[in-house]
PDB file of all heavy atoms in Angstrom:
ATOM      1  N   TRP A   8      13.573 -12.061   4.364  1.00 83.00           N
ATOM      2  CA  TRP A   8      12.909 -11.032   5.165  1.00 83.00           C
ATOM      3  C   TRP A   8      12.791  -9.730   4.435  1.00 83.00           C
ATOM      4  O   TRP A   8      11.753  -9.112   4.418  1.00 83.00           O
ATOM      5  CB  TRP A   8      13.835 -10.788   6.448  1.00 83.00           C
ATOM      6  CG  TRP A   8      13.191  -9.739   7.344  1.00 83.00           C
ATOM      7  CD1 TRP A   8      12.262  -9.913   8.261  1.00 83.00           C
ATOM      8  CD2 TRP A   8      13.605  -8.355   7.390  1.00 83.00           C
ATOM      9  NE1 TRP A   8      11.992  -8.713   8.878  1.00 83.00           N
ATOM     10  CE2 TRP A   8      12.817  -7.730   8.381  1.00 83.00           C
ATOM     11  CE3 TRP A   8      14.542  -7.597   6.690  1.00 83.00           C
ATOM     12  CZ2 TRP A   8      12.920  -6.393   8.685  1.00 83.00           C
ATOM     13  CZ3 TRP A   8      14.644  -6.259   7.013  1.00 83.00           C
ATOM     14  CH2 TRP A   8      13.874  -5.647   8.012  1.00 83.00           C
ATOM     15  N   LEU A   9      13.831  -9.384   3.617  1.00 82.00           N
ATOM     16  CA  LEU A   9      13.785  -8.152   2.841  1.00 82.00           C
ATOM     17  C   LEU A   9      12.738  -8.259   1.750  1.00 82.00           C
ATOM     18  O   LEU A   9      12.051  -7.321   1.477  1.00 82.00           O
ATOM     19  CB  LEU A   9      15.179  -7.896   2.225  1.00 82.00           C
ATOM     20  CG  LEU A   9      15.458  -6.579   1.556  1.00 82.00           C
ATOM     21  CD1 LEU A   9      15.362  -5.461   2.664  1.00 82.00           C
ATOM     22  CD2 LEU A   9      16.789  -6.507   0.914  1.00 82.00           C
ATOM     23  N   LYS A  10      12.599  -9.405   1.140  1.00 85.00           N
ATOM     24  CA  LYS A  10      11.597  -9.630   0.124  1.00 85.00           C
ATOM     25  C   LYS A  10      10.200  -9.488   0.717  1.00 85.00           C
ATOM     26  O   LYS A  10       9.322  -8.852   0.153  1.00 85.00           O
ATOM     27  CB  LYS A  10      11.691 -11.028  -0.461  1.00 85.00           C
ATOM     28  CG  LYS A  10      12.111 -11.056  -1.935  1.00 85.00           C
ATOM     29  CD  LYS A  10      12.037 -12.512  -2.432  1.00 85.00           C
ATOM     30  CE  LYS A  10      13.332 -12.838  -3.161  1.00 85.00           C
ATOM     31  NZ  LYS A  10      13.362 -14.141  -3.739  1.00 85.00           N
ATOM     32  N   ARG A  11       9.963 -10.046   1.901  1.00 83.00           N
ATOM     33  CA  ARG A  11       8.642 -10.004   2.564  1.00 83.00           C
ATOM     34  C   ARG A  11       8.299  -8.545   2.892  1.00 83.00           C
ATOM     35  O   ARG A  11       7.234  -8.076   2.605  1.00 83.00           O
ATOM     36  CB  ARG A  11       8.637 -10.862   3.805  1.00 83.00           C
ATOM     37  CG  ARG A  11       7.311 -11.095   4.391  1.00 83.00           C
ATOM     38  CD  ARG A  11       7.286 -11.940   5.543  1.00 83.00           C
ATOM     39  NE  ARG A  11       7.982 -13.199   5.291  1.00 83.00           N
ATOM     40  CZ  ARG A  11       8.650 -13.945   6.211  1.00 83.00           C
ATOM     41  NH1 ARG A  11       8.715 -13.520   7.475  1.00 83.00           N
ATOM     42  NH2 ARG A  11       9.227 -15.039   5.911  1.00 83.00           N
ATOM     43  N   VAL A  12       9.267  -7.827   3.441  1.00 85.00           N
ATOM     44  CA  VAL A  12       9.073  -6.394   3.817  1.00 85.00           C
ATOM     45  C   VAL A  12       8.814  -5.597   2.531  1.00 85.00           C
ATOM     46  O   VAL A  12       7.959  -4.683   2.531  1.00 85.00           O
ATOM     47  CB  VAL A  12      10.216  -5.924   4.640  1.00 85.00           C
ATOM     48  CG1 VAL A  12      10.122  -4.336   4.788  1.00 85.00           C
ATOM     49  CG2 VAL A  12      10.258  -6.549   6.013  1.00 85.00           C
ATOM     50  N   GLY A  13       9.519  -5.901   1.488  1.00 87.00           N
ATOM     51  CA  GLY A  13       9.368  -5.200   0.226  1.00 87.00           C
ATOM     52  C   GLY A  13       8.003  -5.353  -0.354  1.00 87.00           C
ATOM     53  O   GLY A  13       7.379  -4.389  -0.758  1.00 87.00           O
ATOM     54  N   TRP A  14       7.445  -6.595  -0.317  1.00 87.00           N
ATOM     55  CA  TRP A  14       6.095  -6.845  -0.855  1.00 87.00           C
ATOM     56  C   TRP A  14       5.044  -6.100   0.048  1.00 87.00           C
ATOM     57  O   TRP A  14       4.094  -5.509  -0.469  1.00 87.00           O
ATOM     58  CB  TRP A  14       5.821  -8.279  -0.970  1.00 87.00           C
ATOM     59  CG  TRP A  14       6.281  -8.860  -2.206  1.00 87.00           C
ATOM     60  CD1 TRP A  14       7.364  -9.715  -2.408  1.00 87.00           C
ATOM     61  CD2 TRP A  14       5.770  -8.618  -3.543  1.00 87.00           C
ATOM     62  NE1 TRP A  14       7.529  -9.960  -3.713  1.00 87.00           N
ATOM     63  CE2 TRP A  14       6.598  -9.363  -4.418  1.00 87.00           C
ATOM     64  CE3 TRP A  14       4.721  -7.849  -4.002  1.00 87.00           C
ATOM     65  CZ2 TRP A  14       6.349  -9.288  -5.851  1.00 87.00           C
ATOM     66  CZ3 TRP A  14       4.460  -7.843  -5.375  1.00 87.00           C
ATOM     67  CH2 TRP A  14       5.282  -8.542  -6.260  1.00 87.00           C
ATOM     68  N   LEU A  15       5.265  -6.159   1.388  1.00 90.00           N
ATOM     69  CA  LEU A  15       4.317  -5.536   2.270  1.00 90.00           C
ATOM     70  C   LEU A  15       4.327  -3.985   2.036  1.00 90.00           C
ATOM     71  O   LEU A  15       3.282  -3.384   1.991  1.00 90.00           O
ATOM     72  CB  LEU A  15       4.654  -5.852   3.711  1.00 90.00           C
ATOM     73  CG  LEU A  15       4.200  -7.227   4.187  1.00 90.00           C
ATOM     74  CD1 LEU A  15       4.704  -7.463   5.620  1.00 90.00           C
ATOM     75  CD2 LEU A  15       2.709  -7.406   4.157  1.00 90.00           C
ATOM     76  N   GLY A  16       5.537  -3.483   1.904  1.00 89.00           N
ATOM     77  CA  GLY A  16       5.623  -2.058   1.647  1.00 89.00           C
ATOM     78  C   GLY A  16       4.995  -1.632   0.330  1.00 89.00           C
ATOM     79  O   GLY A  16       4.315  -0.637   0.243  1.00 89.00           O
ATOM     80  N   PHE A  17       5.211  -2.429  -0.694  1.00 91.00           N
ATOM     81  CA  PHE A  17       4.671  -2.182  -2.004  1.00 91.00           C
ATOM     82  C   PHE A  17       3.149  -2.185  -1.976  1.00 91.00           C
ATOM     83  O   PHE A  17       2.477  -1.246  -2.471  1.00 91.00           O
ATOM     84  CB  PHE A  17       5.199  -3.196  -3.028  1.00 91.00           C
ATOM     85  CG  PHE A  17       4.467  -3.131  -4.343  1.00 91.00           C
ATOM     86  CD1 PHE A  17       4.732  -2.118  -5.212  1.00 91.00           C
ATOM     87  CD2 PHE A  17       3.486  -4.061  -4.721  1.00 91.00           C
ATOM     88  CE1 PHE A  17       4.127  -2.028  -6.457  1.00 91.00           C
ATOM     89  CE2 PHE A  17       2.853  -4.018  -5.907  1.00 91.00           C
ATOM     90  CZ  PHE A  17       3.172  -3.006  -6.802  1.00 91.00           C
ATOM     91  N   LEU A  18       2.562  -3.230  -1.318  1.00 93.00           N
ATOM     92  CA  LEU A  18       1.117  -3.290  -1.204  1.00 93.00           C
ATOM     93  C   LEU A  18       0.521  -2.193  -0.415  1.00 93.00           C
ATOM     94  O   LEU A  18      -0.429  -1.609  -0.734  1.00 93.00           O
ATOM     95  CB  LEU A  18       0.717  -4.658  -0.626  1.00 93.00           C
ATOM     96  CG  LEU A  18       0.928  -5.869  -1.488  1.00 93.00           C
ATOM     97  CD1 LEU A  18       0.663  -7.146  -0.759  1.00 93.00           C
ATOM     98  CD2 LEU A  18       0.055  -5.783  -2.757  1.00 93.00           C
ATOM     99  N   PHE A  19       1.224  -1.789   0.744  1.00 94.00           N
ATOM    100  CA  PHE A  19       0.731  -0.739   1.558  1.00 94.00           C
ATOM    101  C   PHE A  19       0.653   0.591   0.744  1.00 94.00           C
ATOM    102  O   PHE A  19      -0.364   1.251   0.784  1.00 94.00           O
ATOM    103  CB  PHE A  19       1.700  -0.562   2.761  1.00 94.00           C
ATOM    104  CG  PHE A  19       1.431   0.681   3.541  1.00 94.00           C
ATOM    105  CD1 PHE A  19       0.336   0.778   4.391  1.00 94.00           C
ATOM    106  CD2 PHE A  19       2.271   1.782   3.440  1.00 94.00           C
ATOM    107  CE1 PHE A  19       0.091   1.871   5.110  1.00 94.00           C
ATOM    108  CE2 PHE A  19       2.013   2.915   4.170  1.00 94.00           C
ATOM    109  CZ  PHE A  19       0.883   2.936   4.997  1.00 94.00           C
ATOM    110  N   PHE A  20       1.787   0.887   0.029  1.00 94.00           N
ATOM    111  CA  PHE A  20       1.784   2.169  -0.711  1.00 94.00           C
ATOM    112  C   PHE A  20       0.884   2.139  -1.921  1.00 94.00           C
ATOM    113  O   PHE A  20       0.289   3.150  -2.342  1.00 94.00           O
ATOM    114  CB  PHE A  20       3.187   2.542  -1.088  1.00 94.00           C
ATOM    115  CG  PHE A  20       4.017   3.078   0.042  1.00 94.00           C
ATOM    116  CD1 PHE A  20       5.033   2.326   0.614  1.00 94.00           C
ATOM    117  CD2 PHE A  20       3.677   4.288   0.548  1.00 94.00           C
ATOM    118  CE1 PHE A  20       5.749   2.819   1.642  1.00 94.00           C
ATOM    119  CE2 PHE A  20       4.401   4.852   1.660  1.00 94.00           C
ATOM    120  CZ  PHE A  20       5.455   4.042   2.197  1.00 94.00           C
ATOM    121  N   LEU A  21       0.647   0.942  -2.535  1.00 95.00           N
ATOM    122  CA  LEU A  21      -0.299   0.837  -3.625  1.00 95.00           C
ATOM    123  C   LEU A  21      -1.689   1.057  -3.127  1.00 95.00           C
ATOM    124  O   LEU A  21      -2.404   1.914  -3.761  1.00 95.00           O
ATOM    125  CB  LEU A  21      -0.220  -0.619  -4.185  1.00 95.00           C
ATOM    126  CG  LEU A  21      -1.237  -0.911  -5.331  1.00 95.00           C
ATOM    127  CD1 LEU A  21      -0.803  -0.165  -6.601  1.00 95.00           C
ATOM    128  CD2 LEU A  21      -1.254  -2.389  -5.649  1.00 95.00           C
ATOM    129  N   ILE A  22      -2.118   0.487  -2.014  1.00 97.00           N
ATOM    130  CA  ILE A  22      -3.446   0.695  -1.471  1.00 97.00           C
ATOM    131  C   ILE A  22      -3.615   2.165  -1.013  1.00 97.00           C
ATOM    132  O   ILE A  22      -4.658   2.769  -1.304  1.00 97.00           O
ATOM    133  CB  ILE A  22      -3.715  -0.295  -0.349  1.00 97.00           C
ATOM    134  CG1 ILE A  22      -3.820  -1.735  -0.903  1.00 97.00           C
ATOM    135  CG2 ILE A  22      -5.009   0.091   0.392  1.00 97.00           C
ATOM    136  CD1 ILE A  22      -3.773  -2.799   0.159  1.00 97.00           C
ATOM    137  N   LYS A  23      -2.602   2.672  -0.374  1.00 96.00           N
ATOM    138  CA  LYS A  23      -2.660   4.080   0.062  1.00 96.00           C
ATOM    139  C   LYS A  23      -2.785   5.037  -1.134  1.00 96.00           C
ATOM    140  O   LYS A  23      -3.616   5.982  -1.124  1.00 96.00           O
ATOM    141  CB  LYS A  23      -1.362   4.432   0.828  1.00 96.00           C
ATOM    142  CG  LYS A  23      -1.338   5.779   1.424  1.00 96.00           C
ATOM    143  CD  LYS A  23      -0.061   5.977   2.240  1.00 96.00           C
ATOM    144  CE  LYS A  23       0.098   7.450   2.528  1.00 96.00           C
ATOM    145  NZ  LYS A  23       1.411   7.722   3.085  1.00 96.00           N
ATOM    146  N   GLY A  24      -2.044   4.758  -2.173  1.00 96.00           N
ATOM    147  CA  GLY A  24      -2.118   5.618  -3.368  1.00 96.00           C
ATOM    148  C   GLY A  24      -3.519   5.500  -4.016  1.00 96.00           C
ATOM    149  O   GLY A  24      -4.086   6.553  -4.472  1.00 96.00           O
TER     150      GLY A  24
END
Side-chain angles (χ1 to χ4, degrees):
W8 180 82
L9 192 63
K10 245 186 230 182
R11 191 178 308 151
V12 170
W14 276 108
L15 285 174
F17 172 75
L18 290 174
F19 171 75
F20 284 110
L21 178 70
I22 292 167
K23 184 179 167 190

